[in-house]
Amino acid sequence: MGRWPALKRRFLYADPRQYWTLRGGDDYFREQEGQRTRTERAEWIAGRIASYRPGSILEVGCGYGKQLREIRRRIDVSMVGIDFSPTQLRRGREYLDGLDRIALVLASGAEIPFPDRSFDLVLTSAVILHNPPDAAERIRREVIRVCRRFAAHNEDTDVSYNRFGYDTAAWYRAAGLPLAESGPIAIDPEPPHSQFCVAEPWRR
Ligand SMILES: C[S@@+](CC[C@H](N)C(=O)[O-])C[C@H]1O[C@@H](n2cnc3c(N)ncnc32)[C@H](O)[C@@H]1O
């Protein structure tokens, strides 16, 4: 990361929650929905999630709910999305309108407001990478705490002013927690930075 990204991180990304509250909402929605590759990625991830046949799902950092809607197209299970950005959740309530058994809750991934082992599968998609190391660590531990069987992560490893770039699979390996799969997102044009992994923390 060069000089300008470092300065941008310091000033523009000093408070991630505030950043995502300003960045989230209609403009972000239009930008994301305007990219075909973004939808193809969400479809690919949803296919992998559905293949585990989870009985319930929590998505941490669900944004406007793109991933939740893609998953619902494949499996009809009860789902909860949490996000710390009220503008993202407001957009999400419109986007997911009419779909039952999907609840959206304003909360931080670093302090998930649910008891231990509440969800069969917990997903993060492009969320941990937006958090500085101490918050990223808290999120990973919270994910493990509230998940019953699977912890699934789509977290790229590249670095920018608002991306910290973590190797999530390596984190699970170092913690001695088993992985069901790990690798780049196969459909990505430039897979080296992408990573999708599914851990089974309670199987060790
Ligand atoms: C790049 S968007 C991805 C949204 C969604 N997961 C998807 O794949 O479409 C990142 C989202 O994560 C949320 N987020 C980042 N850090 C978070 C945290 N610590 N707690 C809750 N939400 C967080 C942001 O508000 C934003 O909506």
Side-chain angles (χ1 to χ4, degrees):
M1 200 169 61
R3 177 178 158 77
W4 291 112
L7 277 177
K8 264 177 102 176
R9 174 175 288 181
R10 197 152 145 222
F11 292 108
L12 211 61
Y13 206 67
D15 180 345
R17 183 177 183 274
Q18 191 180 52
Y19 173 93
W20 282 104
T21 300
L22 293 169
R23 171 95 176 87
D26 292 343
D27 286 349
Y28 178 77
F29 176 79
R30 272 193 295 272
E31 181 202 284
Q32 294 290 305
E33 290 299 304
Q35 299 174 45
R36 180 65 208 152
T37 50
R38 180 71 187 81
T39 298
E40 286 167 356
R41 197 180 238 233
E43 289 169 350
W44 187 89
I45 294 165
R48 296 304 311 134
I49 298 293
S51 75
Y52 288 90
R53 301 186 177 281
S56 61
I57 295 174
L58 169 70
E59 185 182 0
V60 174
C62 62
Y64 62 84
K66 187 173 184 64
Q67 205 58 68
L68 291 171
R69 193 153 110 168
E70 264 329 310
I71 295 169
R72 173 53 65 78
R73 287 203 172 105
R74 289 159 180 80
I75 45 170
D76 187 11
V77 292
S78 109
M79 299 195 276
V80 174
I82 67 168
D83 202 290
F84 65 7
S85 160
T87 53
Q88 292 282 69
L89 287 188
R90 201 173 307 130
R91 198 67 194 75
R93 292 207 168 83
E94 290 169 28
Y95 185 67
L96 300 174
D97 187 36
L99 299 180
D100 65 351
R101 297 200 296 149
I102 304 183
L104 297 181
V105 177
L106 183 67
S108 169
E111 209 172 329
I112 299 176
F114 297 104
D116 297 359
R117 307 195 75 175
S118 294
F119 299 92
D120 205 17
L121 183 148
V122 181
L123 166 67
T124 71
S125 179
V127 175
I128 296 175
L129 61 84
H130 287 301
N131 287 264
D134 54 339
E137 184 65 18
R138 285 206 300 278
I139 296 170
R140 291 187 203 102
R141 294 197 177 281
E142 280 292 85
V143 166
I144 292 172
R145 181 183 69 75
V146 297
C147 106
R148 247 191 326 270
R149 285 200 297 158
F150 303 111
H153 303 277
N154 160 43
E155 298 288 345
D156 289 6
T157 56
D158 57 321
V159 176
S160 74
Y161 78 95
N162 72 357
R163 287 174 167 241
F164 292 81
Y166 302 112
D167 183 340
T168 312
W171 185 87
Y172 278 100
R173 285 192 198 99
L177 302 173
L179 288 165
E181 68 174 286
S182 168
I185 292 195
I187 57 158
D188 273 3
E190 290 175 38
H193 290 312
S194 70
Q195 185 185 78
F196 178 78
C197 68
V198 178
E200 296 180 276
W202 294 93
R203 206 168 57 80
R204 78 165 154 184

